[in-house]
Amino acid sequence: MTSIVIPAHNEGRVIGRLLDALLADTSSSGPDIVVVCNGCTDDTARVAGSRGDRVRVVEIPTPSKHTALRVGDEHARGFPRLYVDADVVVGSADVRALTGALAQDPGLLAAAPGRDIPLTGCARPVRAYYRVWQLLPAVREGLFGRGVIAVTEEGHKRIAVLPPLMADDLAASLAFGPGERRVVEAARVVVRPPRTWADLIRRKVRAATSSAEFERFQAAREGGAGAAPSARTGTADLRALLRARPTLVPEVAVFAAAALAARRGARRAIRDQDFSTWLRDESSRQG
């Protein structure tokens, strides 16, 4: 049986649309869905529970995504297993496409859907940023930044040993080699971006901080022996993009400005080793 684990912290405004998409076009014997409401002070549990017996709701007092994922594992019933963020939208057909890809290739341990980012209603600089971001090789090929990852039982063993990290999706993606992970473009997930520049920077500060934490974890694990896998965007990536698409100069300038602002914003958290403060943008959760 396919199991879907959804960690949710104060996601009452948006979790209903995800659950409706997952429950559409499925029978009573469809995927096992576990929503772990962690530290919620809103109506997330009520909204999830209103979707019927197909959705099992577990409530814990601690506002921690990592803890919620582990608790979800304790309640999940089978494999393949999907971990889905509450603020994205992925449908039942997309779940079947992901689990089908895992079943067809015994060497495949993890898969994620193709990413759709609706930019309507976003500020112009936000639209410019994402036009560049979506073209970067690491972004196209990695499983991170999608809010959905599906793993086999063997793949689950690989990620279950990871420590609590803010960059949990990045760590999960880099836990698998290129031949062990795949982006299944036939499956799609809608990832709503921040609508304002300020919320974009908040999200990018969180990403810069969590990437620094992940890189420290990798360095400690590798003991300095060789280069650890990375998904960081460098100036060489941007130069290569501009050579291929010279008309993107204004958008790349916006992207670079966001990256610099995020680096400055993350500096204090990295210095203080504050890898627990979660900077959440609310504009992407509007409606």
Side-chain angles (χ1 to χ4, degrees), residues 169-279:
D169 59 343
L170 176 60
S173 178
L174 295 179
F176 304 100
E180 298 174 322
R181 67 175 187 253
R182 181 181 305 164
V183 174
V184 180
E185 294 292 345
R188 309 301 299 177
V189 61
V190 178
V191 181
R192 284 175 169 78
R195 296 183 181 182
T196 68
W197 178 256
D199 272 324
L200 172 66
I201 297 305
R202 284 169 63 84
R203 185 179 285 196
K204 301 318 296 180
V205 168
R206 186 183 75 209
T209 305
S210 58
S211 293
E213 178 196 24
F214 177 63
E215 288 168 359
R216 291 187 182 196
F217 159 70
Q218 284 184 309
R221 183 177 62 178
E222 299 295 330
S230 174
R232 185 179 289 275
T233 297
T235 55
D237 299 303
L238 297 179
R239 289 196 206 99
L241 181 59
L242 284 176
R243 283 195 297 270
R245 303 194 183 201
T247 58
L248 285 178
V249 168
E251 287 86 352
V252 169
V254 172
F255 183 92
L260 288 173
R263 193 172 301 171
R264 288 195 298 268
R267 194 171 295 153
R268 174 180 291 183
I270 294 170
R271 183 194 65 205
D272 297 340
Q273 297 190 46
D274 176 11
F275 300 120
S276 60
T277 300
W278 187 269
L279 297 176

Side-chain angles (χ1 to χ4, degrees), residues 72-91:
D73 277 335
E74 293 171 4
H75 288 81
R77 293 170 175 159
F79 289 96
R81 187 164 300 169
L82 282 77
Y83 300 97
V84 182
D85 289 350
D87 61 333
V88 304
V89 178
V90 62

